[in-house]
Amino acid sequence: MLERIRKIKEVARVFGEMRHLLPALNFKMPAHAETVSVAGAFEDTVADHTERIMLIFEGQEWTYSEFNDSANRFARVLQAQGVKRGDSVALLMENRAEFILSLLATLKVGASCALINNSLTGAGLVHCVQAAGANHIIVGDERTSVIDASREALALSDFGSYLWCSDSGTSTCPDWCVDLKAEMAGQSAENIPITREITAGEVAFYIYTSGTTGLPKAAIMLHRKALAASTVLGRLGFRVKPTDRLYLCLPVYHITGLGPGLLAFILSGGSVFLRRQFSASKFWSEVQQFKTNSFIYVGELCRYLNQQPEHPQEKNNPLEKMLGNGLRPDVWDAFKARFKVARICEIYGSSEGNVSFANFFNKDKTIGATFAKVALVAYDQENEEILRDDEGHCIEVAAGTPGLLLGEITTDYAFDGYTNKDATGKKVVQNVFKAGDQWFDTGDLIREIDVGFAFGIRHFQFVDRTGDTFRWRSENVSTNEVAEVLNQHPQIHLSNVYGVEVPGCEGKAGMVALAVESPDTFDVAGFSRLVDTELPAYARPVFIRLQCALETTGTFKLVKTELREQSFHLDQVGQDAIYVRPPKAESYQRLDDSFYQSLCSGTAGY
């Protein structure tokens, strides 16, 4: 009885907060009416928390008032160089204080900020800048050579188009750039009047898909969506208080680091400890040193921390709560138990999507619940198409069964799309349950799960991406589920599972790239036993590729495209060792030329 009373109080508390937030924040702001923006909301926070520490970075600290003053000076330099309301400004820089300064200054003058993955070069970089229609680029010292190599393709000829931010202080500004920090001297620190004229329906950011398959797409994020997502997730997910401190090592150019990370805290008066990139070996000492009680994560960071030897400062650490995405079930329990983290708020969503989930109620291994109207529909993974009934409508799956997640597109839950109209159209499903309705296709398989929670609140769990599921032996194989099993092997740091074509065979055979410390001493026999014990025959990988590290995107998503293309072909995999499990064999063996030729000729016997 006491436990039930506790649950009722918890539900009442959260729903009470929801009722307070939803009228303004549940994607319901008029598209082009209300004068509210990210920069305006930040200025409100500054007024309420003037002397509180906002940012800690590489030995320096800034209060809210100090940082706002610098952002205003920066914004006036942008205006002097021709940046105006409605423009798009590309930002290419590492995670550092000047990145946040550039972002806020751009928003203050009413321009949108195209947040470019700082690892991009060449054609990919040019594509992202042009996809956002950017006519100015703010570039960090550390990425100057990358921009310089692409200047001809970018075709931004005006001197003021390239705006440069020094880093270490030892480099000099190129003669084709404007030195932003130098130009800030003497500028007024007063707020920019135009900031308070920006409306909720104007574009705040262009956020890019990770580009695991093909060139990234630029997703449009309006001010209303940025504010809604960051504030709801900040208050209900992170439960941010001004006394909280965030450990932020995710790239801020990505939506997770930006929205529920940076924006959630600086719009609530909290403090942010910013790091250029993640370091598993330094994580706990920095958590202790800077007293960060909050952590914004992606699942692979948690896996890396789990794999580290015990660190003396992981004991009695101040970390109380985490929010992020991609924490797999095989990592969840071990992480929570080892590091004594009380609250893990797993979220689900995308930069462009109109639906998001959050584990507000702190239930294990779930992406939680959603405010939006969603449907899980039957999906043919072999032919990669949605199944429909005799009337042409989609078919909802039963609870517990994975289905393709669709989010209904309405005025309240709009799909703002990409800058590319064709790409936008491909994500909209028509006539789902009735003529004329429109739903956003997430491309993900989700299932409804029972977490022992009443009150009619549906909870869900991520299963897989549709492109990450393949068919073998007339069965569907989930790459995520197979990877979770393989990651149990003590020598494996990380598994990247994918399907590859084998001549003469229907479907795709399972192949896995394994990140192992020493490929030469990998326990192949032990791996074979694990596979046989934990996986059904159709889900057991046919091929193994041993690597010292796996390639990931800037947001730690595993890259599969090149691995699929190279497959098991000995002339394409470089020095990586390839193992194969021949039909009826009890263990894997090194792939030699003789068996390789039988694979290519379709005579290997699969």
Side-chain angles (χ1 to χ4, degrees), residues 77-96:
V77 176
L78 295 182
Q79 288 181 322
Q81 299 304 321
V83 179
K84 58 186 183 301
R85 184 177 179 182
D87 282 351
S88 172
V89 177
L91 176 54
L92 184 69
M93 197 181 300
E94 291 180 352
N95 262 23
R96 53 187 177 101

Side-chain angles (χ1 to χ4, degrees), residues 382-596:
E382 182 175 11
N383 297 304
E384 297 185 350
E385 64 181 12
I386 297 171
L387 298 178
R388 294 181 181 261
D389 60 22
D390 293 339
E391 296 180 354
H393 297 146
C394 297
I395 305 165
E396 290 195 86
V397 300
T401 302
L404 179 68
L405 174 65
L406 305 179
E408 187 175 25
I409 299 173
T410 66
T411 302
D412 294 336
Y413 296 92
F415 170 45
D416 299 314
Y418 310 102
T419 55
N420 184 306
K421 291 184 179 180
D422 290 338
T424 299
K426 290 177 181 178
K427 297 295 287 184
V428 178
V429 183
Q430 311 275 357
N431 308 318
V432 172
F433 297 117
K434 62 183 179 182
D437 65 355
Q438 293 187 318
W439 296 65
F440 172 72
D441 178 1
T442 66
D444 292 329
L445 298 175
I446 304 291
R447 62 172 158 238
E448 184 177 347
I449 61 171
D450 182 3
V451 295
F453 205 54
F455 312 106
I457 301 171
R458 301 168 66 195
H459 282 69
F460 298 83
Q461 187 177 67
F462 178 83
V463 177
D464 220 334
R465 293 179 175 84
T466 53
D468 286 348
T469 303
F470 60 90
R471 195 166 177 83
W472 180 246
R473 303 294 188 219
S474 300
E475 298 283 355
N476 294 321
V477 181
S478 167
T479 60
N480 272 358
E481 292 177 0
V482 173
E484 287 171 9
V485 171
L486 302 186
N487 287 335
Q488 298 174 28
H489 191 287
Q491 289 180 301
I492 295 174
H493 297 316
L494 193 61
S495 305
N496 191 357
V497 181
Y498 47 98
V500 296
E501 294 183 358
V502 177
C505 296
E506 183 180 350
K508 293 184 177 180
M511 186 165 184
V512 57
L514 301 176
V516 296
E517 187 167 337
S518 176
D520 293 336
T521 58
F522 181 65
D523 181 10
V524 176
F527 179 85
S528 302
R529 289 192 296 271
L530 172 66
V531 164
D532 289 348
T533 303
E534 300 293 337
L535 291 173
Y538 67 84
R540 295 167 190 163
V542 176
F543 303 97
I544 306 170
R545 180 173 179 173
L546 298 182
Q547 299 181 306
C548 292
L550 300 184
E551 183 182 359
T552 62
T553 68
T555 53
F556 303 97
K557 292 181 180 178
L558 292 168
V559 176
K560 299 175 185 278
T561 305
E562 188 175 17
L563 293 173
R564 288 194 190 102
E565 292 173 353
Q566 295 172 347
S567 187
F568 51 81
H569 298 300
L570 296 176
D571 59 343
Q572 297 182 36
V573 298
Q575 299 300 312
D576 293 350
I578 303 295
Y579 286 79
V580 61
R581 190 160 187 179
K584 300 181 181 180
E586 294 185 359
S587 184
Y588 292 85
Q589 63 186 39
R590 187 73 178 260
L591 178 60
D592 58 23
D593 186 66
S594 175
F595 197 77
Y596 175 73

Side-chain angles (χ1 to χ4, degrees), residues 297 327 329 332 344-347 358-359 362-369 447 449 451 458-462:
Y297 70 86
L327 184 56
W332 192 302
I344 299 179
C345 183
E346 175 83 358
I347 61 175
N359 183 23
N362 197 27
K363 294 294 178 179
D364 289 340
K365 305 174 189 176
T366 170
I367 59 174
R447 62 172 158 238
I449 61 171
V451 295
R458 301 168 66 195
H459 282 69
F460 298 83
Q461 187 177 67
F462 178 83

